[in-house]
Amino acid sequence: MNVDSQRAGRTGGRDARRAMRNAPVFDMLPALKRGIPTCDVMDEDQIARIDNASMAILEDVGIVFRDERALSQWRVAGADVRGERVHLDRGLVKQLISSIPSEWTYRARNPARNLNFGGKYSIFAPMGGAPYIRGLDNERRWATLADLQMLLKLTQMSPALHCTSHHIIEPMDVKVSYRHLDIAYSSIKYSDKMFMGMATTERNAEDVVKMAEIVFGPEVLETTPVITGNANCNSPLVWDELMLGAIRAFSSKNQPILCSPFALGGANTPASAAPTVAQLNAEALAGLSYTQVVRKGSPAIYGHFLATVSMKSGAPMAGTPEISLMNFMIGQMARHYGVPWRTSNLLGGAKSFDAQAGYESAMTLNAVLHAGANFIWHSAGWNEGGLQCSVAKFVVDADMCAMGYRMAEGVRWDDFDEAIQAVRDVGPGGHYLGHPHTQANFERGFYMPKLFDDKPFEQWQAEGSVEITARALSYAKRLLDEYQEPKLDEGIDEALKDFIAKRKREIPAEDALNTDR
Amino acid sequence: MNVDSQRAGRTGGRDARRAMRNAPVFDMLPALKRGIPTCDVMDEDQIARIDNASMAILEDVGIVFRDERALSQWRVAGADVRGERVHLDRGLVKQLISSIPSEWTYRARNPARNLNFGGKYSIFAPMGGAPYIRGLDNERRWATLADLQMLLKLTQMSPALHCTSHHIIEPMDVKVSYRHLDIAYSSIKYSDKMFMGMATTERNAEDVVKMAEIVFGPEVLETTPVITGNANCNSPLVWDELMLGAIRAFSSKNQPILCSPFALGGANTPASAAPTVAQLNAEALAGLSYTQVVRKGSPAIYGHFLATVSMKSGAPMAGTPEISLMNFMIGQMARHYGVPWRTSNLLGGAKSFDAQAGYESAMTLNAVLHAGANFIWHSAGWNEGGLQCSVAKFVVDADMCAMGYRMAEGVRWDDFDEAIQAVRDVGPGGHYLGHPHTQANFERGFYMPKLFDDKPFEQWQAEGSVEITARALSYAKRLLDEYQEPKLDEGIDEALKDFIAKRKREIPAEDALNTDR
């Protein structure tokens, strides 16, 4: 059942209403408004200790901006620039980040999918960046553009996923220098939710912002966030030319960009949680400050990617206790500075969708929710440390986001008195299934996980002992069968196609000129 | 490597030290002392609203005590008893529960395993009650006493499991009326951690308390908690004869008992979180009050078991958002009354150890840790809604408890300045693996999950694509190979065996007299 036929069901006859009750709802949930407290693991003195350590790093050690244009902008802005190292005074940093908006509303292609963001508002986006996919057959292979389009359709059908993620997978069948174009076009075409734009280089970022201008009109971007990019800091303490160019492309057009140190705890940060946060905080603040050098008042998001590194293999681990603690701490720092923040969700390091993947993912989900993150990226599909997008995991994760959403909304009180009356009606030794309050409130009262089996063992066994991977893949197929494309305005579609065609003609010549790309 | 040879390693030569570094540590962690805040989802007014609703239920509706002796005790205590229904005035309830200690120290057979308990202190105990086991071969079958003994050995070898759980599985090969004896003896013999005593009937509870007296001496029990029982309320609002007898057996001997309403949300409680907590709170308070009628000042624990019921199958579900919310709320209520509280951990409803089990379990673990529970039961092995103990899940869950322990301890600051100096030493673009701080702090800094695979895909595949179930079962076998029995004093051992033999002679005659048992 698609969104349109659901709507018909609401005004249609009895059969339609019954069908609606039994069918899953695919309408997007509004941005999550938190109703539970954040897990504040630091007191004010400890927040000050992190802040002070980060600022001292920026002042004394400095941070590398490997980009001539950024260095000259920093000189103009009053920073102490020594070679590539920019020494940032804490006064300058605090003044610059003070102009970052703490909340805004994202506009989506479908205005019903606009999103409150920042403060108490959080949004979930699926994973990004996997070169491999475990597809509908559960086999692992290189991912393709067709896979991306399938995953965009699943995103569109997942109520708790609030926006798409540019390259959910890396479309390995598309030339690297064209990928950002095909990815952005697919994001816009197959979903009417807010989308992300590849910020892999300045040129690519400019291209995707241009495509957003085609969809919304340049004047809309001047006042309204419609797209989000991600720029990674090369920890420790290096912002490189590609990422700084991407920041320029987004910030100059008033579009939000995630300033995300990429911390592999113990490898490119100290082997300890609090000092890792101090380093990462310095890196994020430097990136955020630069967004305001580019354009004062432009929206920006305190980002990070966070893993701890295995002593055995050197590989990033997911779901470990220190990742949770660092999420809580980073949340406190971002709130201290009044800047919305991004984290990563439902991360798995498992190779298949086994119990390890489930544990790791749910550990991350809870960390993220208790930490109070605003932009909750990588929320569906992430396994094998991000090298693999598992389609089975994708649909389960999307439902886990819906469950996390329900938890983070907090406790409902609207039926309290009525339900206490039910306790009096039922009395000692009675049961509630037949009580009118139960019948009226069951679905609102207790979330029913979509893909968890709750049948008795004997029935489960008689039906073939189907584990969650197979159930999830069947469910994904059903979603794809029921998917209906949210039609893109034909004029916009043509303009996007023309732009892409033009860029694909131009890019080979640009690449020949810029061998470093 | 066992605990003794570890200790030898600490004082022995270089080889022993190297072996120690590479071997897992099996020493028990002390009781967890929380260093993170509790997730308080209710404000003072909302706590008062629950309290008021619960008290009004106890006053107006009353609660059934299906036991003549309890009813006459309630009359003496000043309650308004009408037939089986006891109407408890809020003043009486608050006065009674005020004498329950809020913290105590449990004594274990091995004094190095004594446990702080209550307030900021929490302990983990494995699951209880499964009639089925998925054993070392991962096949599901009826459980036996030999399985129980194996699981007690695994408990002994798990650092974050602080006590055993009486019938981790139901030994189906032992006559029902003898089980409590064989279970208690096995608990005492195969582990020197604190143990639980079956509280299935008054007679059984008296037997296991008597066995604790044999181990510790009756005078020790008069002053010191050494054993814990569990009494379930039959929700809604019925305490039955078996459970009230068990409370008498424990409370009269000054031993802690969990007063645990057994809530199946939507079936025996309203279909809504806050009213379910109000009902459960009334039931727990009535049980806790009764412990103080039996013996003022005896230790008691605010218990509960909490599931939400599937609308599709009527089966209990695990890991759902409302279970998390209700845990947060119950924690607030217990702290409001100043009584330590128990919850259930790492619950799975899956039939096999698949990703569903992982998600469900980790959702529960996080709920429990953020809720701040003190007695954290069912912390290892629980799957299939408690009907099944999975050995693979048992050892993974035990490690998840160690991870949760690390998270709930909070942030370490002791190496902060030293690590910030490492940031200065390493500088932009450097790496930390070779830095002395990293080398000295890696294991302390970042937890290494014991059973999560972090190898590259190709290596994982070349090694046979082993998923977590197989890895966990191999690990369990290794633990059992390395297990060394913590020898029980021979005199105590003989006395216990004599007592059990005597009771096994007496019980058939008692059963003939008490057909209702």
Side-chain angles (χ1 to χ4, degrees):
Chain A
M1 174 173 261
N2 60 66
V3 173
D4 289 336
S5 60
Q6 267 182 58
R7 291 209 176 108
R10 283 196 194 126
T11 51
R14 198 171 172 183
D15 289 349
R17 279 197 300 275
R18 189 177 309 119
M20 195 189 75
R21 271 202 303 277
N22 295 324
V25 175
F26 302 123
D27 251 349
M28 194 185 84
L29 292 163
L32 166 62
K33 186 176 181 187
R34 288 179 64 77
I36 64 172
T38 51
C39 182
D40 292 341
V41 293
M42 296 190 289
D43 60 25
E44 287 303 316
D45 287 349
Q46 290 164 331
I47 291 173
R49 197 166 177 194
I50 297 283
D51 175 71
N52 184 53
S54 303
M55 293 301 183
I57 290 167
L58 292 176
E59 286 168 348
D60 303 343
V61 181
I63 180 162
V64 167
F65 278 77
R66 199 161 281 155
D67 178 81
E68 277 310 321
R69 199 155 149 212
L71 291 170
S72 62
Q73 286 172 301
W74 274 124
R75 275 182 218 105
V76 172
D80 172 12
V81 180
R82 308 179 205 162
E84 284 187 324
R85 284 214 199 179
V86 179
H87 294 257
L88 290 170
D89 174 82
R90 65 189 70 199
L92 178 61
V93 170
K94 291 197 175 178
Q95 179 226 311
L96 284 170
I97 63 171
S98 69
S99 52
I100 299 173
S102 56
E103 301 192 29
W104 59 78
T105 303
Y106 275 111
R107 184 176 298 194
R109 172 154 83 77
N110 176 349
R113 306 201 189 286
N114 289 355
L115 295 166
N116 292 324
F117 182 79
K120 283 195 175 297
Y121 290 100
S122 303
I123 62 176
F124 295 100
M127 77 166 290
Y132 296 98
I133 187 169
R134 270 197 196 260
L136 290 167
D137 58 0
N138 203 31
E139 294 297 317
R140 181 179 177 277
R141 54 174 171 74
W142 291 114
T144 66
L145 188 62
D147 293 323
L148 176 64
Q149 292 165 353
M150 171 189 66
L151 291 159
L152 288 164
K153 292 174 185 176
L154 293 176
T155 305
Q156 173 74 0
M157 300 287 276
S158 300
L161 297 182
H162 292 107
C163 75
T164 62
S165 175
H166 34 56
H167 62 329
I168 303 175
I169 51 78
E170 278 285 352
M172 306 294 280
D173 55 341
V174 177
K175 205 170 166 225
V176 174
S177 53
Y178 300 161
R179 274 186 202 160
H180 64 291
L181 301 167
D182 289 347
I183 290 167
Y185 179 74
S186 299
S187 302
I188 296 164
K189 184 174 173 65
Y190 294 102
S191 173
D192 57 6
K193 297 182 178 181
M194 197 265 280
F195 61 102
M196 294 179 71
M198 294 293 281
T200 29
T201 67
E202 185 159 15
R203 179 191 74 188
N204 294 355
E206 285 168 353
D207 282 346
V208 294
V209 172
K210 186 82 194 162
M211 290 171 76
E213 288 182 338
I214 293 170
V215 175
F216 295 97
E219 69 293 350
V220 169
L221 272 65
E222 274 299 299
T223 59
T224 311
V226 301
I227 188 172
T228 304
N230 179 61
N232 283 120
C233 174
N234 295 333
S235 302
L237 299 169
V238 177
W239 281 98
D240 73 17
E241 184 190 6
L242 297 177
M243 294 296 101
L244 293 167
I247 289 176
R248 279 194 292 274
F250 275 76
S251 297
S252 65
K253 296 288 186 168
N254 211 36
Q255 295 305 304
I257 189 145
L258 314 168
C259 297
S260 305
F262 195 91
L264 299 166
N268 64 13
T269 76
S272 189
T276 293
V277 170
Q279 177 188 312
L280 181 155
N281 187 53
E283 295 163 344
L285 290 175
L288 290 166
S289 296
Y290 184 61
T291 66
Q292 303 305 298
V293 169
V294 172
R295 178 166 170 165
K296 188 174 173 180
S298 62
I301 299 170
Y302 184 131
H304 68 87
F305 183 83
L306 208 54
T308 56
V309 160
S310 164
M311 254 178 77
K312 282 179 278 186
S313 67
M317 299 185 297
T320 61
E322 293 82 12
I323 293 176
S324 298
L325 289 170
M326 291 191 282
N327 264 295
F328 304 148
M329 297 171 82
I330 293 166
Q332 286 191 266
M333 297 314 297
R335 287 188 291 278
H336 175 71
Y337 301 121
V339 179
W341 69 288
R342 164 238 156 153
T343 188
S344 308
N345 193 18
L346 285 157
L347 304 182
K351 309 311 164 272
S352 65
F353 189 38
D354 67 354
Q356 173 180 340
Y359 283 103
E360 292 174 319
S361 300
M363 292 304 288
T364 324
L365 173 65
N366 281 277
V368 160
L369 292 172
H370 286 284
N374 302 110
F375 195 102
I376 308 180
W377 199 10
H378 300 319
S379 284
W382 181 288
N383 216 359
E384 203 190 316
L387 291 175
Q388 180 192 130
C389 177
S390 155
V391 174
K393 188 171 186 294
F394 190 98
V395 293
V396 176
D397 285 347
D399 195 39
M400 295 304 300
C401 290
M403 282 197 249
Y405 185 106
R406 184 77 82 96
M407 181 186 89
E409 278 185 303
V411 181
R412 276 178 51 224
W413 292 91
D414 57 339
D415 66 336
F416 187 75
D417 293 332
E418 188 192 341
I420 292 297
Q421 185 54 50
V423 179
R424 291 170 182 266
D425 296 345
V426 167
H431 60 84
Y432 287 81
L433 288 173
H435 193 278
H437 173 270
T438 310
Q439 307 236 314
N441 285 275
F442 214 107
E443 278 181 272
R444 267 179 8 117
F446 297 128
Y447 192 89
M448 293 280 299
K450 285 195 183 67
L451 295 157
F452 289 177
D453 173 85
D454 52 29
K455 288 194 283 282
F457 185 88
E458 291 68 22
Q459 186 186 349
W460 176 80
Q461 195 175 38
E463 292 173 7
S465 303
V466 180
E467 295 192 330
I468 195 169
T469 305
R471 289 197 302 275
L473 291 172
S474 299
Y475 181 73
K477 285 171 199 154
R478 201 179 115 207
L479 288 183
L480 293 171
D481 284 345
E482 298 186 10
Y483 169 80
Q484 291 202 347
E485 193 178 310
K487 287 292 178 216
L488 184 59
D489 174 273
E490 280 182 25
I492 291 173
D493 199 3
E494 285 309 310
L496 287 170
K497 284 178 180 159
D498 288 349
F499 175 78
I500 291 168
K502 176 171 92 64
R503 293 297 297 136
K504 286 188 177 178
R505 288 190 302 272
E506 293 164 354
I507 285 171
E510 292 171 12
D511 280 348
L513 287 172
N514 296 282
T515 49
D516 61 337
R517 271 173 184 162
Chain B
M1 172 171 263
N2 60 68
V3 172
D4 290 333
S5 61
Q6 268 183 56
R7 289 208 176 108
R10 283 194 194 127
T11 53
R14 195 171 175 184
D15 287 350
R17 278 198 300 275
R18 189 178 308 120
M20 195 191 75
R21 271 203 304 277
N22 295 325
V25 175
F26 302 124
D27 250 350
M28 194 186 83
L29 293 163
L32 166 63
K33 185 175 182 188
R34 288 178 65 77
I36 65 172
T38 51
C39 182
D40 292 341
V41 293
M42 295 190 289
D43 60 26
E44 286 303 317
D45 287 348
Q46 290 164 332
I47 291 172
R49 198 166 177 194
I50 297 283
D51 174 71
N52 184 53
S54 302
M55 295 301 183
I57 290 167
L58 292 175
E59 287 168 348
D60 303 342
V61 181
I63 179 160
V64 167
F65 279 76
R66 198 162 281 158
D67 179 78
E68 277 310 321
R69 200 157 149 210
L71 291 170
S72 61
Q73 287 172 301
W74 273 125
R75 276 184 217 106
V76 172
D80 173 11
V81 180
R82 308 178 204 163
E84 286 187 320
R85 284 213 200 182
V86 179
H87 294 258
L88 290 170
D89 175 81
R90 65 190 69 198
L92 179 60
V93 170
K94 292 197 175 177
Q95 179 226 311
L96 285 169
I97 63 171
S98 69
S99 51
I100 300 172
S102 56
E103 300 192 30
W104 57 80
T105 302
Y106 275 110
R107 183 176 300 191
R109 172 155 82 79
N110 175 350
R113 307 202 188 286
N114 288 356
L115 295 165
N116 292 324
F117 181 77
K120 284 197 175 297
Y121 290 100
S122 304
I123 61 176
F124 295 99
M127 76 166 292
Y132 297 97
I133 187 169
R134 269 196 197 260
L136 290 167
D137 58 0
N138 203 32
E139 293 298 315
R140 180 179 177 275
R141 56 174 168 75
W142 291 114
T144 66
L145 188 62
D147 293 322
L148 176 63
Q149 292 165 353
M150 170 189 67
L151 291 159
L152 287 164
K153 293 174 185 175
L154 293 177
T155 305
Q156 175 73 359
M157 300 287 275
S158 299
L161 297 182
H162 292 106
C163 74
T164 62
S165 174
H166 34 56
H167 62 330
I168 303 176
I169 51 76
E170 278 284 353
M172 305 296 279
D173 54 342
V174 178
K175 207 170 162 225
V176 173
S177 52
Y178 299 162
R179 272 185 204 161
H180 62 292
L181 301 167
D182 289 347
I183 289 167
Y185 178 74
S186 299
S187 301
I188 295 164
K189 186 175 173 65
Y190 294 102
S191 173
D192 57 6
K193 298 183 178 180
M194 198 265 281
F195 61 101
M196 294 179 71
M198 294 291 281
T200 30
T201 68
E202 185 159 14
R203 179 191 75 190
N204 294 355
E206 285 169 354
D207 283 345
V208 295
V209 172
K210 186 81 194 162
M211 291 172 74
E213 287 182 338
I214 293 171
V215 175
F216 295 97
E219 69 292 350
V220 168
L221 271 67
E222 273 301 298
T223 58
T224 311
V226 302
I227 187 172
T228 305
N230 179 61
N232 283 121
C233 175
N234 295 333
S235 303
L237 298 168
V238 177
W239 281 98
D240 73 18
E241 185 191 3
L242 298 177
M243 294 296 100
L244 293 167
I247 289 176
R248 278 195 294 273
F250 275 76
S251 297
S252 64
K253 297 288 186 169
N254 211 36
Q255 294 305 304
I257 188 143
L258 315 168
C259 297
S260 305
F262 195 91
L264 299 166
N268 64 11
T269 76
S272 188
T276 291
V277 171
Q279 177 189 311
L280 182 156
N281 187 52
E283 295 164 343
L285 290 175
L288 291 166
S289 297
Y290 183 61
T291 66
Q292 302 305 297
V293 169
V294 173
R295 178 166 172 166
K296 187 174 173 179
S298 62
I301 299 170
Y302 185 130
H304 69 87
F305 183 83
L306 209 54
T308 57
V309 159
S310 164
M311 256 177 77
K312 281 180 276 184
S313 67
M317 300 184 296
T320 62
E322 292 82 11
I323 294 176
S324 299
L325 289 171
M326 291 191 283
N327 264 296
F328 304 147
M329 297 171 82
I330 293 166
Q332 287 191 267
M333 296 314 298
R335 286 188 291 278
H336 175 72
Y337 301 122
V339 179
W341 69 288
R342 164 240 156 153
T343 189
S344 309
N345 193 17
L346 285 156
L347 305 182
K351 309 311 165 276
S352 66
F353 191 36
D354 67 353
Q356 174 180 340
Y359 282 103
E360 292 174 319
S361 300
M363 291 304 288
T364 323
L365 172 65
N366 281 278
V368 161
L369 293 171
H370 286 284
N374 302 110
F375 196 101
I376 308 179
W377 200 9
H378 300 320
S379 285
W382 182 287
N383 215 358
E384 202 189 318
L387 292 176
Q388 180 192 130
C389 177
S390 156
V391 174
K393 188 171 186 295
F394 190 98
V395 293
V396 176
D397 285 347
D399 195 40
M400 294 306 299
C401 289
M403 281 197 247
Y405 185 106
R406 184 76 83 95
M407 181 186 90
E409 280 185 302
V411 180
R412 276 179 52 225
W413 293 91
D414 57 338
D415 66 336
F416 187 75
D417 293 333
E418 188 192 341
I420 292 296
Q421 184 55 49
V423 178
R424 291 170 182 265
D425 296 344
V426 168
H431 61 83
Y432 287 81
L433 288 173
H435 192 278
H437 173 269
T438 310
Q439 307 236 315
N441 286 276
F442 213 107
E443 279 182 271
R444 266 179 8 117
F446 297 128
Y447 192 89
M448 292 280 298
K450 285 194 182 65
L451 294 157
F452 289 177
D453 173 86
D454 54 28
K455 289 193 283 281
F457 185 88
E458 291 68 21
Q459 187 185 349
W460 176 81
Q461 195 175 39
E463 292 173 7
S465 304
V466 180
E467 294 192 329
I468 193 169
T469 305
R471 289 197 302 274
L473 291 172
S474 300
Y475 181 75
K477 285 171 199 154
R478 200 179 116 206
L479 288 183
L480 294 171
D481 285 345
E482 299 186 8
Y483 169 81
Q484 290 202 347
E485 193 177 309
K487 287 294 178 214
L488 184 58
D489 174 90
E490 281 182 24
I492 291 174
D493 199 2
E494 285 309 309
L496 287 170
K497 283 178 181 160
D498 289 348
F499 175 78
I500 291 168
K502 177 172 90 66
R503 293 296 296 135
K504 287 189 177 177
R505 287 190 303 273
E506 293 163 354
I507 285 170
E510 290 172 16
D511 280 349
L513 287 172
N514 297 284
T515 49
D516 61 337
R517 269 171 185 166

